[in-house]
Amino acid sequence: MLNQRKVMSSLCFKHNKLFQPVAFFSTKVLPQTKKTGSLSAPKAPSSSQTETRKPVIPANCRFIYPEFLPDPKIEWRNPIREKLERLDMLDRRTQIEIPEFYVGSVVAVTSSDPHSAGKVSRFLGICILREKCGLRARFILRNVIDKQGLEISYDMYDPTIQKIEVLRLEKRLDDRLFYLRDALPEYSTFDTNMEPEIRDEGAAVPVNDIKVRLRPRPWLEKWERQNLRGISNIDEYLTDKRRRTAKDHEKPWEKYDLMKQYRSTIPEEHQKEIYSEVYSHIHQTDLERQKNKRKRSFVNPTKLA
């Protein structure tokens, strides 16, 4: 019994000797002490270090990028499809530059065409329509070539489009310029070798208040019933009966119909939510594209002999 106690005591002694507490030393510099002797509290990181500054969404964003807004009709809404379409549209904008343009702007589109000689075709014309939303957004260009009116409809996010150039950025008095089909040809004639007009950066988009003159009847549509502001001589071809009929079809109360406006528009809160998600990506893509342009324009100086 005595021998067992001696063995146990010797084991405990060896255990305490082998497994003594180890002191760990740090190479970090201790924080400076104040005059009072207390340790100073660590400084909180500044807001610029923790959060990246987001670009300010412009007020006219819904006019520059109207295709990002969903269709206002309730029966056609699908949040998952709309989200996926916006991602596809942003991805397409990283591949091709889609500039700002409106109805009335002169635009040139270069697209791949397997039937043309160089497998590429370029068409220049005035934008007479811009409609629809999402990946179905489209615009129509019109030009008169060899005394023949030509119109081409383009899907804005069509993968066959290689380049979109805005040669003259301006607006018109009406949202649709279909009446150019019945107007004199000089209002739709543009040189195919037209050079782009230089515009100051940040300048407001001008509104061209020109009023076209229509040719005599017959017309493609009854323009007198559409309350158009871009036609100057429409009264010259109206009879008393047509004036009375046009007056009977007027609906002056529609501008006071709040429910119709609500059903035909997207709420402002939803618009801000969409553009806050979209604009930061578009802004970043534009900045990267501008940097690449500066790099391409730079030419290394030649060494002197």
Side-chain angles (χ1 to χ4, degrees):
M1 190 70 180
L2 184 61
N3 294 332
Q4 291 180 357
R5 289 180 179 176
K6 289 182 179 179
V7 173
M8 291 295 293
S9 61
S10 62
L11 289 174
C12 292
F13 175 76
K14 291 180 180 179
H15 182 271
N16 293 333
K17 189 175 181 181
L18 291 173
F19 300 98
Q20 290 180 356
V22 181
F24 294 95
F25 299 95
S26 174
T27 58
K28 289 184 179 180
V29 180
L30 291 175
Q32 296 180 358
T33 58
K34 295 182 179 179
K35 292 182 179 180
T36 57
S38 60
L39 296 177
S40 61
K43 294 183 179 180
S46 61
S47 60
S48 61
Q49 296 176 356
T50 57
E51 296 181 0
T52 57
R53 188 174 180 182
K54 295 183 178 180
V56 180
I57 302 174
N60 60 345
C61 195
R62 64 190 183 95
F63 301 107
I64 302 176
Y65 314 106
E67 67 274 7
F68 283 100
L69 293 179
D71 196 289
K73 293 186 178 180
I74 301 298
E75 60 270 18
W76 292 353
R77 296 293 301 276
N78 189 329
I80 298 177
R81 175 182 56 79
E82 294 165 4
K83 177 73 174 179
L84 295 175
E85 283 189 354
R86 285 196 293 269
L87 293 176
D88 289 342
M89 292 158 68
L90 291 175
D91 182 62
R92 177 59 180 162
R93 281 181 174 267
T94 59
Q95 307 297 327
I96 182 176
E97 181 180 2
I98 302 179
E100 172 188 2
F101 68 96
Y102 305 90
V103 173
S105 301
V106 181
V107 183
V109 177
T110 304
S111 60
S112 58
D113 186 3
H115 305 290
S116 61
K119 304 298 181 182
V120 173
S121 64
R122 183 176 184 268
F123 184 77
L124 181 148
I126 182 173
C127 180
I128 63 173
L129 177 68
R130 187 172 175 179
E131 65 173 1
K132 296 186 180 181
C133 58
L135 294 174
R136 298 171 303 281
R138 71 178 187 124
F139 59 96
I140 299 177
L141 301 183
R142 176 179 173 83
N143 199 353
V144 177
I145 301 176
D146 294 336
K147 300 181 181 180
Q148 179 67 39
L150 300 177
E151 293 183 3
I152 298 182
S153 175
Y154 291 100
D155 291 332
M156 188 172 295
Y157 294 93
D158 187 355
T160 61
I161 293 179
Q162 299 181 3
K163 189 176 182 181
I164 300 178
E165 304 171 83
V166 178
L167 306 180
R168 181 186 297 166
L169 182 63
E170 65 181 13
K171 299 179 181 178
R172 289 295 183 95
L173 298 176
D174 300 305
D175 296 333
R176 297 188 176 192
L177 303 181
F178 284 156
Y179 53 78
L180 291 179
R181 298 169 177 173
D182 290 325
L184 298 177
E186 63 251 23
Y187 296 106
S188 302
T189 305
F190 300 93
D191 186 7
T192 55
N193 298 321
M194 177 180 176
E195 295 292 333
E197 297 181 356
I198 299 175
R199 176 173 167 267
D200 296 335
E201 186 176 357
V205 180
V207 179
N208 191 347
D209 56 354
I210 185 174
K211 295 188 176 182
V212 304
R213 294 185 60 83
L214 297 180
R215 292 174 295 187
R217 285 181 176 273
W219 297 334
L220 294 175
E221 296 183 26
K222 299 177 180 179
W223 308 117
E224 68 274 6
R225 300 184 184 182
Q226 300 184 20
N227 194 20
L228 300 171
R229 297 182 297 167
I231 302 176
S232 61
N233 65 334
I234 194 170
D235 290 335
E236 297 179 6
Y237 304 108
L238 294 182
T239 60
D240 294 337
K241 181 180 179 181
R242 292 185 182 275
R243 289 192 182 92
R244 288 194 302 268
T245 306
K247 191 173 182 180
D248 294 339
H249 284 80
E250 289 181 355
K251 298 179 181 178
W253 60 85
E254 284 190 350
K255 60 181 180 181
Y256 305 108
D257 192 348
L258 299 181
M259 286 304 299
K260 183 177 180 180
Q261 296 177 11
Y262 177 77
R263 289 191 297 267
S264 60
T265 56
I266 302 296
E268 188 176 356
E269 301 82 14
H270 195 188
Q271 292 185 21
K272 290 181 178 179
E273 180 182 352
I274 293 173
Y275 286 123
S276 62
E277 170 192 348
V278 167
Y279 185 72
S280 59
H281 188 281
I282 296 177
H283 182 70
Q284 186 65 27
T285 305
D286 292 342
L287 290 179
E288 293 178 359
R289 191 173 283 118
Q290 290 176 4
K291 290 180 181 179
N292 294 334
K293 286 182 179 179
R294 294 193 195 102
K295 291 179 181 178
R296 291 171 192 161
S297 60
F298 177 75
V299 179
N300 291 327
T302 57
K303 293 183 179 179
L304 298 177

